[in-house]
Amino acid sequence: MKQQELLGIDVGGSGIKGAIIDLETGELRSERFRVATPSPAKPALVAVAFKEVVEQFKWKGPIGCGFPAVIREGVALTAANIDPQWIGTNAAQLLGKATGCEVYISNDADLAGLAEMRYGVGRGKNGTVILITIGSGLGSALFINGRMVPNTELGHLFLKNSKQIAERYAADSARKREDLSWEEWGTRFNKYLQHLERLFSPSLFILGGRGSKKIDSYREVLTLKTEVIPAQMRNNAGIIGAAIFAAESQGLEV
Ligand code: BGC
């Protein structure tokens, strides 16, 4: 049977967003619904907020979920922008139990990348493609000839002469925390992309997450040799990718 639609949910450092996704076109079939990520973002509290999103859609089927951590077989292995209690937690099981639905979970940036490679600006792009999501953290997705290398965590690289990881310096949260203009922030982000450029010689950078919506405010300070384009699905890529992932994990034709 060909499943037509699926609920995709993106758990972020500041919001939990969901929408019903058309698996054929990758488009949203419902309004996007968002609740704030509880603070502290402990597993039990996030599970309650996640359930609220699911109930909003009166959803009963499988759910795809992007999560801001390294995820292996449903288990969170890191927690940079979420409570440390998540480390070692089987997130798929916990959220599955909270909602009574089958939950398929993977790293949020990987899923945003999956959506863009499947339906968006990465479609048909070969070579090394890197997607960076700009939000509370810097998420990364790496594709080699269309195949994903999961859990790359390139937001955690150290930049030259810096004692902190790149996302402390160049995520959208750093812009807000330090009250930077888009241009000031863009100059930092450019340094970060230059570092990635030296390491990977990619053929394309795709920018996702909320910071990608503002690309026109900092495009001019980007001085890379590599082409840089915003994700076609902007902030929705994570939700869309989550739905694709759940469908594919079940062996459904998408
Ligand atoms: C996390 C990543 C995540 C990114 C974006 C980082 O802090 O380590 O796993 O993809 O934030 O949410």
Side-chain angles (χ1 to χ4, degrees):
M1 191 196 71
K2 191 157 174 161
Q3 178 142 358
Q4 300 297 326
E5 55 181 33
L6 242 159
L7 178 60
I9 299 184
D10 185 29
V11 176
S14 51
I16 302 177
K17 301 139 266 176
I20 295 173
I21 305 303
D22 184 317
L23 293 171
E24 194 116 23
T25 60
E27 281 162 10
L28 269 64
R29 274 209 186 163
S30 71
E31 291 282 304
R32 212 170 103 118
F33 180 71
R34 180 188 192 274
V35 297
T37 305
S39 174
K42 293 197 182 293
L45 296 177
V46 171
V48 171
F50 186 89
K51 184 169 178 234
E52 202 185 322
V53 176
V54 177
E55 282 175 349
Q56 168 73 18
F57 296 101
K58 300 189 171 57
W59 186 257
K60 293 279 180 274
I63 300 169
C65 174
F67 198 82
V70 169
I71 301 283
R72 223 165 46 203
E73 283 155 31
V75 179
L77 300 181
T78 61
N81 278 307
I82 198 118
D83 193 86
Q85 252 187 29
W86 280 98
I87 299 174
T89 299
N90 190 320
Q93 254 173 30
L94 178 78
L95 300 175
K97 221 166 158 191
T99 55
C101 298
E102 194 77 45
V103 177
Y104 296 88
I105 189 160
S106 212
N107 174 263
D108 55 354
D110 281 344
L111 296 186
L114 183 65
E116 286 298 325
M117 296 305 280
R118 198 56 59 82
Y119 299 114
V121 290
R123 210 173 171 157
K125 298 278 186 198
N126 279 320
T128 302
V129 176
I130 297 178
L131 174 130
I132 299 295
T133 60
I134 309 158
S136 309
L138 284 179
S140 64
L142 173 66
F143 294 85
I144 322 280
N145 293 333
R147 292 202 58 176
M148 186 202 290
V149 181
N151 292 316
T152 46
E153 294 291 317
L154 300 180
H156 288 235
L157 285 173
F158 284 86
L159 299 179
K160 210 166 143 191
N161 299 330
S162 170
K163 291 194 177 61
Q164 53 186 5
I165 57 171
E167 73 176 16
R168 288 289 299 171
Y169 172 74
D172 192 47
S173 50
R175 181 187 63 80
K176 288 187 180 156
R177 194 172 52 240
E178 298 180 45
D179 199 19
L180 304 173
S181 67
W182 278 106
E183 219 179 296
E184 286 167 327
W185 175 83
T187 308
R188 288 185 175 196
F189 188 62
N190 186 52
K191 267 193 212 159
Y192 171 61
L193 291 186
Q194 277 176 334
H195 190 58
L196 295 181
E197 190 172 59
R198 276 193 295 272
L199 293 177
F200 296 98
S201 304
S203 40
L204 177 66
F205 281 120
I206 303 174
L207 307 185
R210 60 176 183 259
S212 67
K213 291 191 282 188
K214 287 286 184 179
I215 188 164
D216 289 338
S217 316
Y218 57 86
R219 202 192 287 271
E220 292 210 335
V221 296
L222 302 181
T223 58
L224 300 131
K225 288 180 240 116
T226 315
E227 188 185 2
V228 183
I229 48 179
Q232 187 174 318
M233 297 146 200
R234 304 282 167 118
N235 220 359
N236 287 330
I239 301 176
I240 297 166
I244 302 171
F245 175 70
E248 290 188 347
S249 302
Q250 294 174 288
L252 290 173
E253 206 184 308
V254 216

